[in-house]
Amino acid sequence: MEVVCGVQFEDLDGWHTPHYGQFWSRIADEYSRFEDHPPLPRLRLDPTPPAQPQLSALPPLRRVFFVSPPGNFLIQVQHNRFLHNWRKVTDEDGYPRYDAAYQRFVRCWQEFKRFLSDVQLREPKPEIFELTYINHIMAEGATFPRDVWDFLGFYERSPEATTAMEASGMMMQFTWPLPDGMGALSLDVKHGNRINDQKEVLLMELTARGKATDGGAHMDEWFDVAHDAIVNTFEKLTTEHAHQLWGKPE
């Protein structure tokens, strides 16, 4: 399981490679490891076509993970994105509950804003908030996509093709509006094999995204609405077998 709280903001003019190290020096006691990753693409909430790419002599700046050992908590930073993850590293790891995960995101986001002020960069202007729950569904003897409907309750069985053979792959996506025009909630379902032990796993990802209005002043309210939408949708779409197996998100 993984929970990700994040904010996309306007590009930070003046953000350069040394700033990653300077920010890390402020949080290294808690987030003592780092990883380099490619930058995430800019999120868009409207159907407006993307802007034409700008030619540059320099490659785009990386996205950096700052990781708190043993790896359950991490911060992701790039020039227009800030995210905080809680992720399950071992099967024994217990989910810290949403309130704790969200408050840790808020604390780190505030520290990032203080850092920008200290290095004389402008305060980030939020554009989009996002909240994601990623659930890994596994059960002894389960094979996907054959057994997906033991865990997802909105169909009775997998469709059959004229080959009279079981389906070998699946991928589904649904999208619903959030209340009061606050954005959208999407569900992505697919299956594969877990990297560390190659066990079959069903991946159920619920993501809410919405516009950050009034400069992000209503961030807490937005995340409350997004969290309720994710939890309630998760409960409606999954079976009692699934609830017993890995527990509903809180």
Side-chain angles (χ1 to χ4, degrees):
M1 182 178 179
E2 188 164 1
V3 180
V4 188
C5 303
V7 56
Q8 176 177 287
F9 44 88
E10 290 184 358
D11 291 3
L12 286 174
D13 294 332
W15 179 265
H16 299 296
T17 299
H19 291 121
Y20 289 112
Q22 291 174 316
F23 179 60
W24 186 32
S25 70
R26 297 172 68 120
I27 62 172
D29 286 347
E30 188 173 10
Y31 295 83
S32 58
R33 302 199 321 247
F34 74 90
E35 302 170 7
D36 289 331
H37 292 265
L40 295 169
R42 175 175 288 280
L43 296 172
R44 294 182 180 274
L45 298 179
D46 55 54
T48 304
Q52 294 297 317
Q54 301 294 314
L55 297 178
S56 172
L58 295 173
L61 284 177
R62 70 198 71 188
R63 171 173 47 126
V64 176
F65 286 13
F66 302 104
V67 184
S68 178
N72 301 104
F73 292 101
L74 67 93
I75 297 169
Q76 302 183 49
V77 177
Q78 63 182 55
H79 70 288
N80 60 4
R81 204 85 165 262
F82 185 95
L83 303 104
H84 192 280
N85 303 45
W86 177 86
R87 57 187 179 180
K88 196 170 188 174
V89 176
T90 69
D91 291 338
E92 291 73 34
D93 289 341
Y95 174 51
R97 307 188 74 83
Y98 169 74
D99 287 346
Y102 176 67
Q103 290 305 320
R104 190 155 178 158
F105 157 68
V106 171
R107 173 168 61 85
C108 294
W109 170 239
Q110 295 299 332
E111 179 62 30
F112 181 65
K113 291 198 294 183
R114 285 192 291 270
F115 164 73
L116 295 178
S117 175
D118 290 347
V119 296
Q120 299 182 340
L121 293 179
R122 65 175 174 82
E123 182 172 344
K125 184 177 179 181
E127 296 177 327
I128 295 173
F129 295 134
E130 57 183 317
L131 175 64
T132 297
Y133 274 73
I134 304 171
N135 291 286
H136 294 219
I137 304 171
M138 295 187 304
E140 189 67 33
T143 296
F144 301 112
R146 183 195 69 192
D147 297 324
V148 63
W149 309 119
D150 290 344
F151 308 100
L152 304 183
F154 49 94
Y155 286 123
E156 291 185 357
R157 59 189 177 87
S158 297
E160 294 182 358
T162 57
T163 59
M165 299 173 68
E166 290 183 358
S168 59
M170 67 166 292
M171 183 178 295
M172 294 185 296
Q173 184 179 73
F174 299 87
T175 303
W176 305 270
L178 289 174
D180 301 320
M182 296 180 74
L185 171 66
S186 64
L187 166 70
D188 288 273
V189 181
K190 55 189 174 182
H191 72 98
N193 297 90
R194 203 162 64 166
I195 294 175
N196 60 340
D197 56 14
Q198 292 300 300
K199 287 185 178 179
E200 288 198 53
V201 60
L202 185 69
L203 215 62
M204 184 176 178
E205 182 173 324
L206 282 156
T207 297
R209 293 192 175 106
K211 187 176 181 180
T213 57
D214 298 326
H218 304 292
M219 186 172 79
D220 290 347
E221 178 186 353
W222 187 90
F223 274 94
D224 284 344
V225 170
H227 172 249
D228 288 346
I230 287 175
V231 170
N232 292 334
T233 302
F234 179 88
E235 183 172 2
K236 285 180 178 294
L237 297 183
T238 50
T239 64
E240 286 300 322
H241 182 193
H243 298 171
Q244 295 168 7
L245 185 64
W246 80 98
K248 293 180 290 188
E250 298 291 344

